[in-house]
Amino acid sequence: MRNLRKTAVLAALSGALALGACATATPYQPAGLNGQRGGYAEQRLEANRFNVSFSGNSVTSRDQVEMSLLLRAAELTAENGYDWFSTVARATDRDTRFYSTPDPFYYDRYGPYWGPSWRFYRRGYWSPWGPTWGNDFDVRQVDRYEATAEIVMGRGPKPSGDVNAFDAREVINNLGPRVTRPVAK
C-alpha cells in the first residue's frame, strides 16, 4: 500500500513538472487562434474608434499584456490609414485564483512519508501528530491579466500635450520586437 502511494505521488509530481516546463506566455496573436484562450481582440465602435483587448495566460506578465495591447492599437491605427491614436479609457484587470494540491510529504494515518511523526492516545484511540499537522495542502496563487482600451484614431501629427496620445509607427517600432510572437510550426 505504501509503495503504491509513493508511486502515485511520484507520477503526479513528474507530470506536474513536465507540464510546467511546457508553459509559455500567451503569444501576440488573435484570441482563439490555434485553440489559444488568450490573445488580442478588437471591436469597431465608429470609423475611427475601437475597443481593443489583450488577454494573457498564467505565465504572461502584466507588462507583456499591456505592451501587446498598445501594439495592437498601433497596428489597427496604421491598418486603417491613421497616424496616431489616443486612449479614451484604459484598464488592466487581474484575475487571481488559488489552487490547492495535497502535499505529498504530509503525515497521515498510514505513517509519515518523510521525517518524524508522533502519536498520542486520546479518547480511546491512537492519533497521529507531526510537525505539519493541519497543513496537508500546498496552495498556489495564479494570476492572469487582461488589458482593455478604447482608442480614437487621428491623422497628421500627434496632438501635443495629450499624454494619452501615441504615434502609431513609433509604438510599432518600439514594442514590436519586445512582444512574444507565436512559435512557427
Side-chain angles (χ1 to χ4, degrees):
M1 179 75 169
R2 193 177 256 173
N3 285 339
L4 182 61
R5 290 185 121 202
K6 283 183 182 179
T7 303
V9 167
L10 289 174
L13 285 173
S14 64
L17 289 173
L19 284 175
C22 297
T24 59
T26 300
Y28 180 77
Q29 65 184 13
L33 188 67
N34 296 326
Q36 288 278 341
R37 182 174 170 179
Y40 62 78
E42 65 269 342
Q43 172 75 43
R44 183 186 294 267
L45 303 174
E46 295 177 349
N48 69 335
R49 186 181 289 260
F50 281 82
N51 269 332
V52 185
S53 67
F54 189 89
S55 283
N57 60 18
S58 62
V59 294
T60 308
S61 70
R62 179 181 179 140
D63 288 342
Q64 189 75 26
V65 167
E66 291 174 344
M67 277 193 299
S68 297
L69 171 77
L70 286 175
L71 178 60
R72 184 59 191 151
E75 288 179 348
L76 270 176
T77 301
E79 289 168 8
N80 285 282
Y82 292 94
D83 300 310
W84 58 270
F85 67 95
S86 180
T87 57
V88 177
R90 193 163 112 186
T92 303
D93 296 323
R94 180 174 79 179
D95 178 26
T96 300
R97 296 186 183 200
F98 295 93
Y99 295 94
S100 63
T101 54
D103 184 352
F105 304 110
Y106 80 100
Y107 300 86
D108 67 1
R109 66 185 182 153
Y110 299 110
Y113 286 105
W114 306 98
S117 75
W118 299 272
R119 295 168 51 96
F120 62 94
Y121 191 76
R122 184 179 73 170
R123 296 188 185 144
Y125 64 94
W126 285 95
S127 297
W129 183 85
T132 61
W133 187 68
N135 300 322
D136 300 332
F137 291 91
D138 288 332
V139 177
R140 186 174 63 115
Q141 178 179 336
V142 176
D143 293 325
R144 295 179 62 193
Y145 295 97
E146 179 176 7
T148 57
E150 182 179 329
I151 63 167
V152 175
M153 303 171 185
R155 291 190 175 91
K158 174 180 83 168
S160 62
D162 184 357
V163 296
N164 294 318
F166 299 87
D167 182 288
R169 280 155 194 76
E170 277 191 49
V171 171
I172 292 169
N173 291 336
N174 292 329
L175 297 184
R178 296 179 59 198
V179 299
T180 304
R181 302 286 178 169
V183 177
K185 294 184 179 184

